Amino acid sequence: MLASSRQRYTAAVHAVASVAMVASLAGTAAAQTPRFQLELEAGPAWISRNVVQIPNNATATRFSLNEVTGSGPWPAGRAYFTWNVNERHGLRALAAPLSITETGRLRIPVSFAGGSYTASAPVEATYAFNSYRLTYRYQWRNTERTRLWVGFTGKIRDATVQLAQGSVSTRKDDLGFVPLLHVAGEWRTASNWQLGTDIDALAGGPGRAIDAAVKLGYDPRGRFGVHVGYRTVEGGADVDEVYSFSWIHYAVASLVWRW
């Protein structure tokens, strides 16, 4: 009888220990996903290529807006808001405005959007590229050290190119929808440092769009973080109405709040 009691006691202790071990491993195997996240990003932006021709035919001149505006830098910023519906599924909204107005000179005479501009007088150029996006993403991998998301993004592109010289002023506005694929990942160390990447991109047909970033972050308490890194935005369209391709580079710093 006594031996039987000891055996039952020993079995119960082993069962409790096994459950505790499994619970401990489960807790360390997956990182906790916050319900909401707000990220505010800012930094200088440079444009290494900004070539336009409007319309995209023999009546217009293909030229570089950088001849007028220079390559920068200019201040830029964006804001992300993420709602993780559950451990696997999430939605993320982005607002990323960018607007530049500078005065310079054209290297050659330019025909643009029905207006004629000379190379002998100063010309004012405006370039705006505002991006608003909604992303659905699925958390494909979630461990103590790594996370990986895949999904798709719906992007509203609100772009403007304008030239003004004396009494002549013409512009081209471009408002449209762009579907993109989404991939993001994080790798965390035991000392609260993390390396992350984030990509919205799609190429094919008459154009392409790429927005990619790599950031190093420090999250001392898990709820607040400071990240720094590099972002690049490249792409454009080659259609009858417009030829426009740009390549923008950002040095970025961001504040992250999770709750």
Side-chain angles (χ1 to χ4, degrees), residues 50 65-72 74 100-104 125-127:
N50 199 358
L65 270 178
N66 283 2
E67 296 174 4
V68 180
T69 64
S71 58
W74 300 278
I100 298 162
T101 300
E102 299 285 356
T103 299
T126 296
Y127 176 75

Side-chain angles (χ1 to χ4, degrees), residues 178-199:
V178 182
L180 304 171
L181 299 177
H182 171 78
V183 177
E186 290 180 0
W187 177 76
R188 293 177 175 270
T189 70
S191 55
N192 297 317
W193 288 90
Q194 74 171 60
L195 182 65
T197 184
D198 191 296
I199 303 170

Side-chain angles (χ1 to χ4, degrees), residues 207-223:
R208 62 181 179 270
I210 302 170
D211 186 338
V214 176
K215 295 181 184 178
L216 178 66
Y218 181 62
D219 301 317
R221 296 182 180 273
R223 294 188 61 187

Side-chain angles (χ1 to χ4, degrees), residues 96-166:
L98 178 66
S99 183
I100 298 162
T101 300
E102 299 285 356
T103 299
R105 291 180 182 272
L106 295 164
R107 184 176 54 86
I108 58 173
V110 166
S111 295
F112 168 78
S116 297
Y117 300 88
T118 70
S120 59
V123 60
E124 182 183 85
T126 296
Y127 176 75
F129 192 85
N130 304 314
S131 182
Y132 306 98
R133 302 178 212 164
L134 181 63
T135 298
Y136 162 78
R137 58 188 198 166
Y138 174 77
Q139 191 168 240
W140 182 40
R141 178 178 175 85
N142 182 12
T143 70
E144 186 181 9
R145 292 286 180 260
T146 60
R147 293 182 181 180
L148 179 64
W149 294 267
V150 294
F152 56 88
T153 296
K155 170 183 172 180
I156 299 298
R157 177 192 62 239
D158 180 15
T160 296
V161 181
Q162 178 175 342
L163 294 181
Q165 187 179 66

Side-chain angles (χ1 to χ4, degrees), residues 12-29:
V13 170
H14 286 170
V16 171
S18 299
V19 171
M21 182 178 295
V22 171
S24 175
L25 291 174
T28 58

Side-chain angles (χ1 to χ4, degrees), residues 53-62 110-114 239-240 243:
Q53 182 180 359
I54 301 174
N56 188 13
N57 57 43
T59 66
T61 307
R62 185 168 297 184
V110 166
S111 295
F112 168 78
V239 295
D240 292 341
Y243 179 96

